[in-house]
Amino acid sequence: MTPPVPLDPERARRRAEVAKAWAHVIGRTAYVPMTAEEMEQFLLEQVHTLADALNAELFDPSSAIAVGTSLVHNDFTGPESLQVTVEILAGALLLDSENRTDRRLAEKVVGLLSNLATGYSNAIRHRTLDQQEHIKQALLKSKREAERRERAATERFEEVFHASAIGMALTDMAGNFVQTNSALAHILECPESELAGRNVRELFPEEDADDVVISYREVTEGIMPRIRERRRMVRHDGTIAWVYLVISLLRDVNGVPAYHVTMVENLSELQALQNQLGQQSVRDMLTGVANRQHFQSKLDAVLEGARPDTSITLLHVGIDSFSVINNGLGHLAGDRMLQVVANELRGIVADYNAVIGRVGGDEFAILIENSPGVPHYQVLIDQINERLAEPTFIGDTGVAVCVSIGVAKHTGRAHGRLDLLRAANSTMRRAKAVGKRQWEAHNVLEDAEQKELFALTAAMPGAWEMGELDCEYQPVVDLADGRVVALEVLLRWNHPTEGVIGHYRCRDMAESTGMSLTIGPWAAMRAAADAAEHGTGDVMLRFRLTQMQSSDGNLAAVINRLIARSGLPPSRLEIALDTRAVIANRGEAQSNLQALHDNGVVTGLHEFTGSQTEFALVEDEAIQSVILAGSLVTNRPDLRKPDSLLTKVTRDMVKNLRKTGATVSVVDVPTSQDAAWWHALGVTRGQGDFAGVPGDLESVLPERSAPSVNGA
């Protein structure tokens, strides 16, 4: 069977690789009368069948039954053939899915593999039963020809009976064993001698014995020619073995019922495999707690079945700095600590109606249905932190972890478990942002604001692609005479429903997702092209880079490309790196500072606060432009007394910066009076509402100067 529609080359290649790997491993488990090429082609057809069923709009796992049957019919029937088949296909089908976000994907794969195993076992069983039917007929024929060939028939019967891999028993009409073979004793894990004289009823659980007796009676009375059914049998040690039972009747030469022939096929290994597949679909294999899909289904069930007064608490637990363990001690140590955390969480909520799930690599969730005996969540959080603080020894190293926890409570029914999971997760993220071993309870207002921000942030790449982002410019003026000496390039988002979103929000959102490394170069190229087209004279373009942009190893290449394409002289560009990134030597920040200086660009620092390290940087790197941190303007030293400590420190900082030859600027200055105060303090340039609001290039070009701070 071939796929109904042509496959893309990559998927066809992957399926062919799966078929080749399948042929390699299964060829070591069974002798198959095919060439290697024939085997790979046959198995590729089975891969197509399973993958097409998985990706079909209407999922029907029953097509996998035919695959299992076909494997048997083509002699892929070695002792480990089914096992290696399941191992190969489990991962391959997950990777072949067209919709890997489908939360039922694992369940579909398990369904296909279970049906494949069913088809395989049914075909094996039917083939075995067909063989045994011939055996039974041979037995009957031997009985009828006993007078003529009694000795030969008896020997043949004995050989077949005792050499069979199927458990066999001959019982009289009362159910007592007349003869058994070693295969039956092996299935029941008891000495063959101990079966002698026992009644077949004793081999079945007490609650099933009556049904088994009825099956024997139906065969005796001719209601059924033979019985085929799945049953449980009791082993010698009292444990249960799953078997496939076939009961048929032997008559004497006069046609009178004489014996029952019972054939028993051991299904325990197949049952164990099916149980294992079932566990894999609901359990995290490393920690043993519920996996994400199963945890979500449990949460769904609780929310949909809740009464109006039902109260639940959801804890989202994230391990702090888990990468320290993985990178420092290795992933085996990390796996061990994940198991420790899971076990400790289980122990803490063992006495409550609770479900624990692993919902991320180093994240767990705890769902608790509140009742009078359940303590307040803060008590549970304290217990979690106390127990996880106890070190676990991995070799000679004692390892402990701490966690950050987000708490979300809910009362009554709900249909939005994704909102509840998201609320607990985002609350945990806020707690992590504060520091290690923190917790926070869900706040509806904060969560709504954060959700709105996250929605905007997630939509920003699409908005940029659709042309909703644009550049605007804010004048930077000389505080002595009000001349526009530079234009700072800013971002503006013309959102279709939110209206205009300003530069600072756009910057923060782009920085949080890494989009600043894409949008920043685009904005720089756009601004340089605008400046070259409109002829801005001697007015410079100012760029205040984010921490990520300041640390980018590709920054020098971007600036070189900008200069080459726009034709602007490097001296017309002022690039101010984030002081914090340079001081911390994040990425290539310090190298970028030197590279920009070598290219003739006016190099600067912004978010300057006046620390000793920052002054050393200005002096050592010959910084040409220093932009004071916005917090200095926000603190309003101009509203304090002239002899206040803040005013003195600020005045001295500006004075010392001027001594280095750097131009000193302030941003976000609201009024001309504020600008005049900063000018009196020694600041050279300023920008803010007093100098003009941001706009397009035509509206901010220096056709008119900003009011002089000296009143000119």
Side-chain angles (χ1 to χ4, degrees), residues 456 459 462-464 466-469 493-501:
L456 284 173
W464 175 63
M466 296 297 293
E468 295 176 10
L469 295 184
W493 184 354
N494 301 311
H495 197 281
T497 58
E498 298 289 329
V500 176
I501 299 176

Side-chain angles (χ1 to χ4, degrees), residues 49-69:
T49 299
L50 295 171
D52 292 343
L54 178 65
N55 294 319
E57 293 185 8
L58 183 60
F59 177 64
D60 181 10
S62 63
S63 58
I65 294 176
V67 174
T69 302

Side-chain angles (χ1 to χ4, degrees), residues 435-672:
K436 311 301 181 188
R437 194 173 170 172
Q438 302 296 313
W439 69 270
E440 185 172 330
H442 176 239
N443 182 295
V444 176
L445 295 179
E446 286 185 6
D447 186 62
E449 293 174 358
Q450 191 173 51
K451 183 178 180 182
E452 180 182 356
L453 176 62
F454 285 163
L456 284 173
T457 303
M460 177 173 270
W464 175 63
E465 185 72 23
M466 296 297 293
E468 295 176 10
L469 295 184
D470 202 356
C471 291
E472 61 181 8
Y473 307 87
Q474 185 174 45
V476 180
V477 302
D478 188 311
L479 295 182
D481 56 17
R483 287 183 304 108
V484 176
V485 294
L487 298 173
E488 179 170 5
V489 181
L490 306 177
L491 283 176
R492 179 180 65 202
W493 184 354
N494 301 311
H495 197 281
T497 58
E498 298 289 329
V500 176
I501 299 176
H503 172 73
Y504 289 126
R505 287 189 73 190
C506 288
R507 177 199 64 188
D508 292 344
M509 288 189 288
E511 186 78 351
S512 69
T513 61
M515 275 293 292
S516 57
L517 297 183
T518 301
I519 295 177
W522 165 81
M525 295 292 182
R526 174 74 175 273
D530 284 352
E533 179 182 351
H534 290 84
T536 55
D538 295 332
V539 176
M540 301 176 63
L541 288 180
R542 169 182 281 183
F543 300 92
R544 277 190 286 163
L545 304 187
T546 66
Q547 292 194 45
M548 193 176 296
Q549 291 168 340
S550 301
S551 309
D552 183 21
N554 199 39
L555 176 61
V558 171
I559 299 304
N560 288 337
R561 196 159 55 245
L562 181 150
I563 294 171
R565 292 183 180 179
S566 66
L568 289 175
S571 59
R572 292 265 308 279
L573 299 175
E574 179 184 340
I575 310 294
L577 275 62
D578 190 289
T579 305
R580 296 161 297 187
V582 180
I583 292 296
N585 196 20
R586 287 185 51 180
E588 300 295 325
Q590 293 188 4
S591 299
N592 285 337
L593 197 62
Q594 184 61 49
L596 294 176
H597 189 275
D598 293 343
N599 285 342
V601 173
V602 176
T603 55
L605 297 172
H606 70 92
E607 294 302 318
F608 190 93
T609 59
S611 71
Q612 185 181 28
T613 307
E614 292 173 343
F615 269 106
L617 184 64
V618 171
E619 184 177 39
D620 295 342
E621 300 295 337
I623 299 299
Q624 299 162 280
S625 172
V626 174
I627 303 172
L628 301 184
S631 59
L632 291 175
V633 179
T634 304
N635 286 329
R636 298 298 297 274
D638 57 302
L639 297 181
R640 298 173 183 262
K641 294 180 180 180
D643 59 349
S644 72
L645 179 61
L646 178 61
T647 303
K648 290 179 180 178
V649 170
T650 306
R651 182 184 293 111
D652 290 343
M653 177 177 63
V654 174
K655 179 180 178 181
N656 290 327
L657 285 173
R658 292 286 300 274
K659 287 181 180 179
T660 66
T663 299
V664 183
S665 303
V666 287
V667 297
D668 300 329
V669 180
T671 67
S672 296

Side-chain angles (χ1 to χ4, degrees), residues 222-270:
I223 299 174
M224 298 290 292
R226 66 182 58 85
I227 295 290
R228 299 176 177 179
E229 56 190 8
R230 190 182 179 116
R231 285 287 182 185
R232 298 180 302 163
M233 297 187 77
V234 181
R235 296 191 183 99
H236 188 61
D237 60 1
T239 59
I240 295 298
W242 282 93
V243 301
Y244 196 80
L245 194 69
V246 179
I247 305 169
S248 57
L249 185 66
L250 286 179
R251 300 177 183 272
D252 62 17
V253 293
N254 299 317
V256 177
Y259 302 98
H260 284 118
V261 176
T262 304
M263 292 182 287
V264 180
E265 180 185 0
N266 192 358
L267 299 181
S268 295
E269 291 184 3
L270 181 60

Side-chain angles (χ1 to χ4, degrees), residues 185-502:
H186 178 73
I187 293 172
L188 298 176
E189 297 181 0
C190 73
E192 188 174 354
S193 60
E194 293 192 10
L195 293 176
R198 296 184 63 182
N199 191 283
V200 71
R201 181 188 178 104
E202 301 173 21
L203 302 184
F204 297 91
E206 185 176 348
E207 60 272 22
D208 296 348
D210 289 340
D211 287 340
V212 174
V213 170
I214 291 173
S215 296
Y216 277 94
R217 185 182 302 135
E218 289 178 346
V219 173
T220 303
E221 295 175 356
I223 299 174
M224 298 290 292
R226 66 182 58 85
I227 295 290
R228 299 176 177 179
E229 56 190 8
R230 190 182 179 116
R231 285 287 182 185
R232 298 180 302 163
M233 297 187 77
V234 181
R235 296 191 183 99
H236 188 61
D237 60 1
T239 59
I240 295 298
W242 282 93
V243 301
Y244 196 80
L245 194 69
V246 179
I247 305 169
S248 57
L249 185 66
L250 286 179
R251 300 177 183 272
D252 62 17
V253 293
N254 299 317
V256 177
Y259 302 98
H260 284 118
V261 176
T262 304
M263 292 182 287
V264 180
E265 180 185 0
N266 192 358
L267 299 181
S268 295
E269 291 184 3
L270 181 60
Q271 182 69 30
L273 177 60
Q274 291 176 338
N275 291 340
Q276 182 181 5
L277 290 172
Q279 285 296 314
Q280 289 177 353
S281 69
V282 299
R283 293 291 173 189
D284 175 62
M285 298 306 294
L286 176 64
T287 62
V289 300
N291 61 24
R292 184 179 185 89
Q293 292 76 18
H294 186 52
F295 183 84
Q296 289 177 347
S297 67
K298 287 288 189 182
L299 180 57
D300 279 337
V302 170
L303 291 176
E304 292 175 6
R307 300 185 304 274
D309 60 343
T310 298
S311 173
I312 64 171
T313 300
L314 182 62
L315 303 179
H316 196 110
V317 181
I319 302 176
D320 295 324
S321 301
F322 187 64
S323 60
V324 172
I325 298 175
N326 275 335
N327 295 332
L329 300 177
H331 287 277
L332 290 179
D335 290 347
R336 174 61 183 141
M337 291 310 299
L338 288 172
Q339 293 169 339
V340 169
V341 171
N343 290 336
E344 294 294 352
L345 295 180
R346 266 195 295 251
I348 290 170
V349 299
D351 296 333
Y352 316 128
N353 190 4
V355 179
I356 300 174
R358 185 182 176 197
V359 294
D362 58 359
E363 296 176 11
F364 296 85
I366 306 174
L367 171 64
I368 303 175
E369 294 189 53
N370 296 321
S371 63
V374 176
H376 189 269
Y377 58 76
Q378 189 169 355
V379 175
L380 295 174
I381 290 172
D382 291 340
Q383 292 177 0
I384 292 172
N385 284 321
E386 289 173 6
R387 294 180 69 161
L388 293 182
E390 292 292 329
T392 297
F393 280 87
I394 302 175
D396 296 330
T397 305
V399 184
V401 296
C402 60
V403 295
S404 296
I405 301 175
V407 184
K409 294 190 68 174
H410 179 80
T411 302
R413 293 191 63 183
H415 302 284
R417 54 100 169 152
L418 291 179
D419 283 340
L420 191 60
L421 284 171
R422 184 202 54 77
N425 179 277
S426 62
T427 304
M428 186 272 288
R429 304 289 172 201
R430 287 199 297 272
K432 256 187 192 295
V434 174
K436 311 301 181 188
R437 194 173 170 172
Q438 302 296 313
W439 69 270
E440 185 172 330
H442 176 239
N443 182 295
V444 176
L445 295 179
E446 286 185 6
D447 186 62
E449 293 174 358
Q450 191 173 51
K451 183 178 180 182
E452 180 182 356
L453 176 62
F454 285 163
L456 284 173
T457 303
M460 177 173 270
W464 175 63
E465 185 72 23
M466 296 297 293
E468 295 176 10
L469 295 184
D470 202 356
C471 291
E472 61 181 8
Y473 307 87
Q474 185 174 45
V476 180
V477 302
D478 188 311
L479 295 182
D481 56 17
R483 287 183 304 108
V484 176
V485 294
L487 298 173
E488 179 170 5
V489 181
L490 306 177
L491 283 176
R492 179 180 65 202
W493 184 354
N494 301 311
H495 197 281
T497 58
E498 298 289 329
V500 176
I501 299 176

